[in-house]
Amino acid sequence: MQTDVTRMRNVAIVAHVDHGKTSLVDQLLKQSGLFRDNEQIHERALDSNDLERERGITILAKTTSIPYKDYRINLVDTPGHADFSGEVERIVKMVDGVLLVVDAFEGVMPQTRFVLEKALSAGLVPVVVVNKMDRPNARPAEVIDEVLDLFIDLGANEDQLEFPVVYTSAILGTATDDPSVPGTNMEPLFQAIIEHIPAPDVDVSGPLQWQVTMLDYNEYLGRIGIGRIARGVLRQGETVALIQRDGTVVQKRIQKLFAHQGLRRIEVNEAFAGDIVAVAGIPEIMVGETVADPANADPLPLLRIDEPTLEMT
Ligand code: GDP
């Protein structure tokens, strides 16, 4: 497990539906060395929960953790539908950068606008990924113009307007910085992530603070809270203060702690500030709540919740 925060990258991946998020994550995983060349990725990176139910506690996550050289990249999927704008907003607050994936033929679409607006207002500088460069009708220069217009329209700041661009074919497994030079592998995309997305700016030695950004459910474990550790170290088995949305503080035990490895969540004994982890065993846990050191029970600012699914949980 990577514990050096300077070698960690937390990245949201945003796109209009079908522009290739899942295929890109599959390729990054394939080329990361996490899987042997002859080993197939049976599950698609960001897709359904069927396998997760079958396996019990080996849960497929919305976060895919990819090793690259001595770095670890946590890629967080985001919902493309406007009903989930609260979730997108919370995810972009939890990460330090975003990959904006745009189809090289279709260009900017309604959901591209919606997700980019969230990323820009969170202050993130997106890495623009023009995908499907293998399509015979790809028109990357025009698509970049459309993206630039959209940035301007959404009031992007100067840094954001300098967005780096990587041209990819998730189908061929290639990426390039220069659309006139074909790529040979995904290396330029890995490089852009490492170079342009900052490491988390966190204090690992301070008192614990962890905030729930998303919820998940598993029939063996019950409700699962997912979020980034904002400060300190989170340990399995330890007693923590849960600061509820109304300010009530209750003592809880961290029964199960999971970090991410590839497509899976794996149980770990401890995890450090900057990392995105999942916690099971607190059945009433809610989005926006803070888990803290009982001696320093300070809440993080509450997060907006407005998506329909949370009302059902
Ligand atoms: P998502 O909805 O953004 O996760 O998109 P997917 O990764 O599921 O891709 C949507 C469709 O586009 C699938 O049929 C993919 O095979 C196809 N696709 C994804 N990337 C590429 C690419 O680089 N080139 C081509 N030609 N098709 C692609």
Side-chain angles (χ1 to χ4, degrees):
M1 230 354 71
Q2 176 65 256
T3 56
D4 175 1
V5 74
T6 64
R7 310 255 166 207
M8 193 182 283
R9 295 293 182 273
N10 290 324
V11 187
I13 179 162
V14 302
H16 187 83
V17 66
D18 279 348
H19 283 194
K21 282 192 300 187
T22 311
S23 309
L24 274 169
V25 174
D26 280 356
Q27 274 299 343
L28 289 172
L29 262 176
K30 243 185 227 168
Q31 295 189 26
S32 70
L34 191 65
F35 294 89
R36 292 190 307 276
D37 285 346
N38 62 351
E39 192 176 358
Q40 284 194 354
I41 300 177
H42 293 293
E43 318 90 35
R44 304 206 56 213
L46 303 168
D47 277 353
S48 88
N49 288 341
D50 298 351
L51 283 153
E52 153 176 345
R53 287 196 201 99
E54 247 171 61
R55 287 203 192 95
I57 65 162
T58 311
I59 311 158
L60 290 181
K62 276 189 180 172
T63 299
T64 305
S65 186
I66 302 182
Y68 171 71
K69 296 188 173 163
D70 49 356
Y71 290 85
R72 192 155 61 85
I73 303 168
N74 286 326
L75 281 174
V76 188
D77 190 20
T78 56
H81 199 280
D83 279 357
F84 295 87
S85 75
E87 182 167 341
V88 177
E89 208 173 286
R90 298 195 304 270
I91 291 171
V92 293
K93 280 186 183 158
M94 174 175 84
V95 296
D96 305 293
V98 62
L99 298 183
L100 175 70
V101 182
V102 186
D103 184 307
F105 169 68
E106 278 196 0
V108 165
M109 297 293 277
Q111 283 166 52
T112 316
R113 183 185 183 94
F114 156 70
V115 289
L116 179 63
E117 196 260 323
K118 300 283 175 202
L120 293 178
S121 44
L124 302 175
V125 175
V127 172
V128 173
V129 180
V130 179
N131 186 39
K132 309 201 188 183
M133 286 294 286
D134 59 286
R135 287 183 73 164
N137 44 9
R139 44 181 195 96
E142 283 164 50
V143 168
I144 287 300
D145 285 345
E146 289 174 19
V147 171
L148 184 59
D149 285 345
L150 181 60
F151 271 65
I152 294 168
D153 202 32
L154 292 172
N157 65 33
E158 267 175 46
D159 285 347
Q160 290 169 330
L161 286 173
E162 298 284 307
F163 58 84
V165 184
V166 182
Y167 302 86
T168 60
S169 166
I171 292 288
L172 301 175
T174 57
T176 175
D177 297 325
D178 178 349
S180 62
V181 180
T184 50
N185 55 36
M186 296 306 276
E187 197 66 20
L189 183 52
F190 278 119
Q191 280 298 336
I193 293 170
I194 300 307
E195 224 175 277
H196 297 289
I197 295 176
D201 181 16
V202 289
D203 171 12
V204 179
S205 56
L208 168 70
Q209 249 185 343
W210 172 72
Q211 188 169 36
V212 183
T213 291
M214 293 176 279
L215 294 179
D216 200 353
Y217 183 82
N218 172 279
E219 64 183 288
Y220 298 91
L221 295 170
R223 192 182 289 188
I224 297 162
I226 303 158
R228 189 179 79 139
I229 304 172
R231 196 172 64 196
V233 183
L234 187 56
R235 293 189 177 85
Q236 183 155 272
E238 85 180 328
T239 299
V240 294
L242 173 69
I243 308 155
Q244 295 177 318
R245 288 188 72 92
D246 64 2
T248 311
V249 179
V250 282
Q251 302 251 319
K252 291 284 163 187
R253 205 174 141 264
I254 301 297
Q255 285 187 16
K256 292 237 182 245
L257 175 64
F258 300 90
H260 298 92
Q261 188 179 65
L263 306 177
R264 309 233 160 77
R265 289 190 193 132
I266 52 157
E267 207 171 325
V268 291
N269 290 325
E270 58 183 12
F272 299 85
D275 206 357
I276 296 168
V277 295
V279 168
I282 309 180
E284 69 272 46
I285 204 161
M286 282 293 300
V287 165
E289 292 181 346
T290 301
V291 159
D293 176 347
N296 293 273
D298 309 320
L300 289 157
L302 277 175
L303 298 168
R304 184 162 83 90
I305 310 180
D306 61 359
E307 55 270 38
T309 50
L310 284 176
E311 281 156 30
M312 298 186 289
T313 56

